[in-house]
Amino acid sequence: MSAAPSLAPDLADSLPSHIRGVGTSQIGLVADRGRDDPEVVKLWIGEGDLPTPDFITEAAHRAMLAGETRYTYSRGLPRLHQALADYHRRHWGVEVAPDRFAITAGGMNAIMQACQALMEPGDEIIIPTPNWPNLAEAARVNGAVPVTVPYRSTGDGRFTLPLEDIEAAITPRSRVVVVNSPSNPTGWVMPMAEMRALLDLARRRDLWIISDEVYAHFTYGNAIAPSFLQLCTPTDRLIVTNTFSKNWAMTGWRAGWMVYPAGLADTFSKLGQYNTTSIPTFIQHAAVAALEEGDGFIRTMVGRCAESRAIMVDGLSRLRGVTVFPPEGAFYIMARVETGETSLDLAFRLLREAKVGVAPGTAFGPEGEGFIRICFAVSPALAREAVARLTRVLGEK
């Protein structure tokens, strides 16, 4: 019997152009060089260092022992939909009908299903940048065209997103505007007044809004970040995406959700069926426990992040060639570092010389050149250690 032929070197060239155009994660390029090194302080990925709380893992265990290991509804358990409705009422004061929720395989799958539902090949999606790269790549996977609108920065180090910049990017092919607030990687938080203005613009121009609200609880000096659900009617062209990953230290559980307009339950039932056929049933029971019992853990996480944020903002501001933009929300610092290197080369050097893993700014678009992104969802002790290591390599001002 002859051996199976090996893949031809040019086989990738036969794939559709919109798949060939999907980018490679620069965060992964850096992480792959150090992820197995126990000495590295790993601050490159949006993941805290706390374990999933016991009350969540125990809920999953009880569900498995009770036989909750079989198929269920493609949009998720009705009990989980009700827990999500209660959660949104409790934190944002909004009434969202339980049939407007779909459970997804993490926030990424929520973004992907939103893109599948809304965009045809050639449609344009407007994305503020620097941005989480998965937003643009999900659009490309579906044949859509990302159109980036750069954030502006003010004299006091804040990022802004003027509405006129978004409006100037609209063309006849525009279909969707993406908002990620609080933002990964900039830490920008969209004020309620600007959300209202963008909603008015979207209504006038028949645009959809995808609002990625995964970091809503992570704000510093402010109340919980506002949600578009506080402004929109049930039939507005809005999809909100979210995840259990950040609030409850559940990144590896791959559980998320979306909120879609009234009347689209059947659409997202089908998309859920053909994407994942729902997520594991016992994980959904754990998600119910997170929603119903996890508000105290969220407060612990946010308080811990606030302390580590202060340590890193202060420590990084003292480094030679470094300009820090203190984030209003999320748990990242986007710092400008002037060393004459590309941000990717700098990230490799800091990994090699400081044993600190950071994300290169260009992982979030070309506007990120000259920046690095640092995740501070770690213990204050680890934040101090990271600052000390970076100080030894970069030096003080």
Side-chain angles (χ1 to χ4, degrees):
M1 181 181 296
S2 61
S6 60
L7 292 177
D10 61 351
L11 193 58
D13 293 338
S14 67
L15 300 178
S17 60
H18 66 280
I19 298 299
R20 296 199 308 271
V22 173
T24 299
S25 168
Q26 289 190 9
I27 302 173
L29 292 177
V30 179
D32 285 346
R33 292 197 183 183
R35 69 172 74 247
D36 295 326
D37 186 343
E39 296 182 9
V40 172
V41 178
K42 300 174 175 66
L43 308 177
W44 41 42
I45 293 174
E47 183 173 54
D49 62 347
L50 287 176
T52 305
D54 288 345
F55 69 88
I56 295 175
T57 57
E58 289 166 1
H61 188 215
R62 288 194 303 271
M64 284 189 281
L65 293 177
E68 298 288 352
T69 57
R70 305 181 70 82
Y71 290 132
T72 187
Y73 302 95
S74 62
R75 286 192 304 109
L77 294 172
R79 182 185 173 194
L80 181 49
H81 296 164
Q82 185 60 57
L84 282 165
D86 296 340
Y87 169 82
H88 284 79
R89 182 187 308 109
R90 188 164 68 247
H91 289 290
W92 288 276
V94 296
E95 295 292 336
V96 182
D99 68 354
R100 290 179 58 199
F101 293 100
I103 309 307
T104 60
M108 183 63 241
N109 182 238
I111 292 285
M112 186 64 74
Q113 289 195 37
C115 290
Q116 291 168 342
L118 301 184
M119 290 181 286
E120 297 188 47
D123 283 349
E124 294 176 352
I125 177 171
I126 297 171
I127 306 175
T129 186
N131 63 78
W132 181 45
N134 297 38
L135 296 171
E137 300 310 329
R140 286 193 180 94
V141 165
N142 287 283
V145 180
V147 175
T148 56
V149 175
Y151 290 101
R152 299 190 190 191
S153 57
T154 63
D156 61 358
R158 293 183 302 107
F159 289 96
T160 65
L161 182 65
L163 184 69
E164 56 266 29
D165 291 355
I166 295 177
E167 190 161 15
I170 297 173
T171 75
R173 295 308 305 261
S174 298
R175 177 73 169 166
V176 176
V177 178
V178 172
V179 175
N180 172 214
S181 172
S183 164
N184 171 15
T186 64
W188 166 80
V189 177
M190 192 174 205
M192 180 72 85
E194 293 182 15
M195 296 172 75
R196 185 175 288 108
L198 178 59
L199 176 60
D200 290 343
L201 173 64
R203 286 168 171 168
R204 291 197 309 271
R205 303 297 293 267
D206 292 331
L207 298 173
W208 283 81
I209 295 173
I210 297 177
S211 183
D212 179 2
E213 301 184 1
V214 303
Y215 299 101
H217 287 284
F218 293 87
T219 58
Y220 309 101
N222 303 299
I224 187 172
S227 169
F228 274 97
L229 292 168
Q230 295 170 281
L231 300 174
C232 288
T233 71
T235 56
D236 270 313
R237 298 185 180 196
L238 169 73
I239 293 179
V240 174
T241 60
N242 216 316
T243 183
F244 291 88
S245 294
K246 315 300 180 177
N247 292 345
W248 299 285
M250 294 175 68
T251 52
W253 294 67
R254 309 316 305 135
W257 74 89
M258 66 166 61
V259 186
Y260 46 78
L264 293 185
D266 185 58
T267 296
F268 286 98
S269 289
K270 289 183 283 189
L271 285 174
Q273 179 68 36
Y274 302 134
N275 272 274
T276 60
T277 315
S278 195
I279 67 169
T281 309
F282 55 87
I283 288 179
Q284 296 189 53
H285 285 274
V288 171
L291 292 165
E292 294 182 346
E293 305 173 42
D295 285 0
F297 183 78
I298 293 174
R299 289 191 292 271
T300 297
M301 281 275 288
V302 174
R304 198 166 177 264
C305 284
E307 187 175 352
S308 295
R309 170 186 178 273
I311 291 166
M312 286 195 169
V313 168
D314 177 68
L316 296 173
S317 297
R318 300 172 187 270
L319 301 186
R320 184 184 304 119
V322 176
T323 303
V324 174
F325 296 80
E328 301 171 71
F331 45 62
Y332 309 100
I333 290 173
M334 192 75 167
R336 179 182 289 125
V337 186
E338 300 176 60
T339 63
E341 303 161 274
T342 67
S343 62
L344 182 58
D345 286 341
L346 175 61
F348 284 137
R349 182 162 71 89
L350 293 177
L351 176 62
R352 185 174 63 252
E353 297 180 10
K355 293 285 188 177
V356 176
V358 303
T362 43
F364 308 95
E367 295 81 5
E369 183 60 86
F371 289 80
I372 58 173
R373 189 202 71 175
I374 297 175
C375 174
F376 56 82
V378 296
S379 70
L382 199 59
R384 292 189 188 92
E385 175 63 22
V387 168
R389 293 185 184 193
L390 292 171
T391 300
R392 287 195 292 270
V393 172
L394 297 176
E396 293 188 317
K397 292 177 179 174

